[in-house]
Amino acid sequence: MSENKRHPLRQSRRSEAYNSFTEHLLARDIRPGQFISQRELVEITDMPLGAIRELIPRLEADGLITTVPQRGMQVAHIDLELVRNAFQLRFFLELEAARLFTIQASDQTLTKLRKAHEDVLHSASENGITPELLEHAQTVDWSLHDTIIDSLDNEIISKIYKVNSVKIRLIRQERFRLSESLLQNVMNDHLAIIAAFEKRDPEQAATCLRQHLENARGRALGLGDR
């Protein structure tokens, strides 16, 4: 019997601690490059010290923290190497997933995706771009990518993608955010991808998605709004 089956509560605590850490990291309660102690993690995540001690090896394995000799634990830096590596993984995972999604996705799923994006553009046109709309648009943006990956129904890929997604979202926070000037570009990029899905054209979907990811990578590398 595996350790996970013998100790479901322990596994649940570890998962809760991990989810709490990433939520606080994305909420900027914990900052990239910050040095942090186990006690501080207990206070921030509201998890017991035992769960934090078990969490640390997972965070180290995922590249979200590193142990610096004589200084302690440091949250991952957002640097050019991380940007390049995180986006390279996105290309490997998402392009092939998009090809499969094009063939397998239901018409209902595609209709839902299109409506979500068109609603954002309609709201921007009718009511202007508000902070609330930007926040909602960011959720719609992430949802498309998550839906493509989740459709694979592959737990190993989903776990790898989830970790990388945290890094991508940190990169966005530090280097570029969805702004008024980008909102329409991003939504239109996505609608081009969705149109390829609707045509059931895997290579066109992959081409459109590649261009979208290249645009995002260029912004993260400081190559301008694209």
Side-chain angles (χ1 to χ4, degrees), residues 148-209:
I148 293 170
I149 292 294
D150 290 344
S151 72
L152 296 173
D153 195 25
N154 185 312
E155 185 179 0
I156 294 173
I157 291 176
S158 291
K159 285 181 177 179
I160 293 171
Y161 185 81
K162 181 179 180 180
V163 173
N164 198 57
S165 181
V166 171
K167 296 173 183 176
I168 290 292
R169 295 178 194 201
L170 288 175
I171 289 167
R172 286 183 174 183
Q173 288 182 350
E174 292 293 309
R175 291 181 167 264
F176 71 97
R177 294 190 181 198
L178 187 61
S179 62
E180 292 185 23
S181 60
L182 284 179
L183 184 145
Q184 290 191 336
N185 288 343
V186 170
M187 291 296 108
N188 285 327
D189 274 1
H190 278 204
L191 284 170
I193 297 166
I194 292 168
F197 291 154
E198 292 168 337
K199 293 177 183 176
R200 304 297 178 175
D201 187 336
E203 292 311 311
Q204 182 63 25
T207 297
C208 291
L209 179 56

Side-chain angles (χ1 to χ4, degrees), residues 76-89 164 167-168 171 174-176 216-224:
H77 280 292
I78 305 301
D79 55 20
L80 291 180
E81 181 180 11
L82 177 62
V83 173
R84 293 191 182 100
N85 291 345
F87 272 94
Q88 184 177 50
L89 183 56
N164 198 57
K167 296 173 183 176
I168 290 292
I171 289 167
E174 292 293 309
R175 291 181 167 264
F176 71 97
R217 181 177 60 186
R219 289 191 290 269
L221 291 171
L223 302 180

Side-chain angles (χ1 to χ4, degrees), residues 113-152:
L113 288 173
R114 173 172 286 282
K115 184 177 187 305
H117 288 76
E118 289 180 343
D119 284 350
V120 169
L121 290 175
H122 177 75
S123 183
S125 175
E126 291 294 313
N127 306 312
I129 299 175
T130 64
E132 293 76 16
L133 179 61
L134 285 173
E135 183 176 352
H136 174 63
Q138 187 65 83
T139 300
V140 170
D141 179 358
W142 289 332
S143 178
L144 173 70
H145 298 280
D146 291 344
T147 298
I148 293 170
I149 292 294
D150 290 344
S151 72
L152 296 173

Side-chain angles (χ1 to χ4, degrees), residues 7-55:
H7 303 288
L9 181 59
R10 183 193 227 170
Q11 177 68 11
S12 175
R13 284 285 191 176
R14 279 201 295 262
S15 296
E16 284 182 42
Y18 187 89
N19 291 337
S20 182
F21 176 87
T22 55
E23 286 171 8
H24 284 283
L25 184 59
L26 293 173
R28 302 174 74 81
D29 299 324
I30 304 169
R31 302 297 295 271
Q34 172 184 343
F35 282 91
I36 196 163
S37 68
Q38 291 184 12
R39 291 292 180 185
E40 287 172 320
L41 285 175
V42 167
E43 292 176 6
I44 292 170
T45 63
D46 197 28
M47 297 297 296
L49 183 58
I52 295 300
R53 285 176 173 161
E54 292 187 348
L55 166 69

